[in-house]
Amino acid sequence: MLKSYLKRGDEASFELRSRDVDGRLVGRLFVNGKDLGAQLVRQGSVMASDGFVGRCDDLNDSELETRAKDAGLRLWSASPPLERPGDLMVAVGGEEP
């Protein structure tokens, strides 16, 4: 799917925000000056971070997700509706990832 957003010669940059509890990089990927993650959330292709990754609270991804969900875009067109993986884990007695 990402191949459709990237072409040879595109300018890409990564803005490091933090590392998660498992040491993975958390940040934003910009392609030709546009935030690719925000674009994917806006289109309903991915879920927004639910805030546990830290240093991303200033992003409006939750608002973008709400708009995509209200419009029934991609992920949000599923029937029955999708639930966040962390919410499902808590519902079955597990811990949030």
Side-chain angles (χ1 to χ4, degrees):
M1 177 173 102
L2 289 179
K3 286 173 75 173
S4 64
Y5 295 95
L6 301 168
K7 300 183 302 284
R8 186 176 300 273
D10 281 347
E11 184 178 317
S13 62
F14 182 74
E15 178 188 277
L16 178 63
R17 290 295 188 106
S18 67
R19 290 186 179 268
D20 69 8
V21 295
D22 295 314
R24 295 173 293 211
L25 297 176
V26 175
R28 299 164 69 191
L29 176 62
F30 292 89
V31 178
N32 297 324
K34 295 181 181 175
D35 183 344
L36 182 57
Q39 184 176 353
L40 293 171
V41 172
R42 184 181 300 110
Q43 295 172 349
S45 296
V46 299
M47 293 179 180
S49 164
D50 58 5
F52 71 91
V53 293
R55 293 196 179 167
C56 294
D57 295 340
D58 61 320
L59 305 179
N60 70 338
D61 291 349
S62 295
E63 181 182 323
L64 298 174
E65 180 182 283
T66 298
R67 290 182 192 165
K69 191 174 185 177
D70 290 348
L73 301 177
R74 297 187 182 180
L75 288 174
W76 307 113
S77 66
S79 182
L82 291 177
E83 294 184 53
R84 294 183 165 284
D87 294 345
L88 287 173
M89 290 182 74
V90 170
V92 298
E95 292 184 17
E96 193 171 338

